[in-house]
Amino acid sequence: MSSQSKTARAGQATPSFLDRLPTVSPRVFRVLTLISLVFLGLIVVTGGAVRVTGSGLGCPTWPQCGDGRWVPHTEYALHGAVEFGNRMISIVMGVFMLVTPLAALRLPDRRQRRDLVWLSFGLWAGFVGQAVLGGITVLTDLHPATVAAHFLLSMLLLVDGVALYRRSRQGPGPVTVSVRRELLWLSRVLVVVGAAVLVLGTVVTGTGPHSGDDEKAKRFGFDIVTVSQLHADGAMLVTGLALAMVFAVRVAKASREAVRWADVLLATIVAQAAVGFTQYFLGIPAGLVVVHLAGATAMWIATLRVWLAMSTRPSAMEAEVPEAMTRDAVTPRLPVTAG
C-alpha cells in the first residue's frame, strides 16, 4: 500500500454512531412524536386499570415479577397479568421515547431545531424517572403519595409531549404571541388551575377506595366528603374559566386553532364533570374511575393546546418552501436542447 493512500485513509474521520443512522424526514419525526403522545396517554389509562383491579402488587417485585422471574407466576393469576401487561406497555413506550431523541438528532435541520432535540430528550428523561418512581411505588406497597407522584409525573410528561408534537409541525422561526396579553394570561391561569384540580384528584383517589391492593396499600387519612368537595369546587372553577375562554377567543378573533381547542376543552370538562358526579353518587365504581382518568388526560391535553395556541411559529410547510426555492435559485438550469 502506498504512503499516499495510507495518508488519505488516516485523514478520514471514523463516523460516529449517530452519523451511521439514516436521516429522518420531518414527516417521519412528526409521526414518532404523535405515537409517543398516544403512549403517554395510554399508560395513564392502563395504570388506572391496574389500580381499580387491585393489581398494583400483582408483581410483588420490581423490575422482575416474582422471585427471579421476568414473567408473572401462575399463582398471581389475573393481577399479575394486568400488572405485567402495564409494564410491557411501558417498555414499548420506552422504545419510542429512546427512538424519538435519536430521530431528532438526525433531522436535516437539526442545528436549527434544538427545541425538538431538547424536548425529545426531555421525554426520555421523564420516562426514566417514571421507571424509577414505579419501582419506588412497588417497594413502598403503593403508598398514596408515590402513586400520586406517578400520575402527576405523567401529566408533566404530557406537557413535554404535547409541546413536542405541536412544534414538530412548525418551522424553526421565532415564537410570536398572537393574542392580547389578557387572553394569554387567561390561558396561563387555566393551566395552573387545571393542574391544581389534577393534584386534588390524586388526593381524592388516595383517600377513597381502589388503592391498588386491598391488603397492603395505605390510604390518606382525609375525609372523603371534604376532599371530594374541594375537587368539585376546583372543577367548577375550571369550567368557568373554560367557558370564559370560549367567548374570549372569539371576541379577540384568535386563531382557528385557539377557537377549536377552547371548544374541545369545554366539551371535555363538561363530560368529565358528568362522569365525576356520577361515580361519586354510585359509590365510585371501578369502570368509571378508568373513564375519569381518561377524561382527565384528555382535559389536560386540551388545556395545554389552548395555552400553546396563544403563540405561533411559521408552519413546517412554510419553512420548507423557501428552502426549496433557494435550492432552485442556486442550482443552474441547463438549457434543454432537441435531441
Side-chain angles (χ1 to χ4, degrees), residues 120-153:
S120 298
F121 274 99
L123 282 182
W124 175 245
F127 171 77
V128 173
Q130 280 285 57
V132 174
L133 189 55
I136 295 174
T137 302
V138 173
L139 295 176
T140 58
D141 292 333
L142 306 183
H143 191 281
T146 59
V147 174
H150 208 32
F151 172 78
L152 293 175
L153 181 54

Side-chain angles (χ1 to χ4, degrees), residues 149-174:
H150 208 32
F151 172 78
L152 293 175
L153 181 54
S154 294
M155 296 298 104
L156 187 60
L157 270 171
L158 278 173
V159 178
D160 193 308
V162 170
L164 176 61
Y165 173 68
R166 185 173 184 267
R167 287 203 175 188
S168 70
R169 301 172 65 86
Q170 297 175 324

Side-chain angles (χ1 to χ4, degrees), residues 68-81:
R69 297 186 62 177
W70 293 94
V71 295
H73 291 266
T74 55
E75 59 266 27
Y76 298 152
L78 175 64
H79 295 323

Side-chain angles (χ1 to χ4, degrees), residues 29-254:
F29 184 75
R30 286 193 289 269
V31 172
L32 285 175
T33 61
L34 178 59
I35 294 175
S36 298
L37 184 57
V38 170
F39 268 100
L40 285 173
L42 181 63
I43 200 66
V44 176
V45 178
T46 57
V50 169
R51 194 179 75 242
V52 300
T53 57
S55 305
L57 295 176
C59 290
T61 59
W62 185 92
Q64 295 177 337
C65 189
D67 299 330
R69 297 186 62 177
W70 293 94
V71 295
H73 291 266
T74 55
E75 59 266 27
Y76 298 152
L78 175 64
H79 295 323
V82 173
E83 168 64 8
F84 186 74
N86 183 61
R87 292 186 182 184
M88 290 300 98
I89 293 177
S90 299
I91 291 174
V92 175
M93 183 179 72
V95 173
F96 280 102
M97 296 300 174
L98 176 61
V99 170
T100 302
L102 294 178
L105 290 172
R106 296 301 299 158
L107 287 169
D109 58 347
R110 59 186 177 276
R111 297 185 183 277
Q112 296 177 308
R113 301 312 308 267
R114 295 184 183 274
D115 55 332
L116 300 181
V117 175
W118 283 109
L119 286 171
S120 298
F121 274 99
L123 282 182
W124 175 245
F127 171 77
V128 173
Q130 280 285 57
V132 174
L133 189 55
I136 295 174
T137 302
V138 173
L139 295 176
T140 58
D141 292 333
L142 306 183
H143 191 281
T146 59
V147 174
H150 208 32
F151 172 78
L152 293 175
L153 181 54
S154 294
M155 296 298 104
L156 187 60
L157 270 171
L158 278 173
V159 178
D160 193 308
V162 170
L164 176 61
Y165 173 68
R166 185 173 184 267
R167 287 203 175 188
S168 70
R169 301 172 65 86
Q170 297 175 324
V175 178
T176 304
V177 177
S178 57
V179 297
R180 294 173 60 89
R181 180 169 299 186
E182 295 83 0
L183 191 57
L184 176 62
W185 274 104
L186 177 59
S187 68
R188 291 171 175 172
V189 172
L190 192 56
V191 170
V192 172
V193 176
V197 171
L198 291 176
V199 173
L200 287 172
T202 62
V203 176
V204 174
T205 301
T207 304
H210 307 304
S211 61
D213 186 89
D214 296 334
E215 297 180 0
K216 294 184 178 181
K218 300 178 181 178
R219 314 304 292 144
F220 288 133
F222 303 119
D223 178 58
I224 185 62
V225 176
T226 302
V227 294
S228 296
Q229 185 61 55
L230 287 174
H231 182 57
D233 293 341
M236 294 294 289
L237 179 56
V238 169
T239 304
L241 291 172
L243 187 59
M245 178 63 74
V246 167
F247 284 101
V249 291
R250 286 171 167 81
V251 172
K253 296 181 179 180

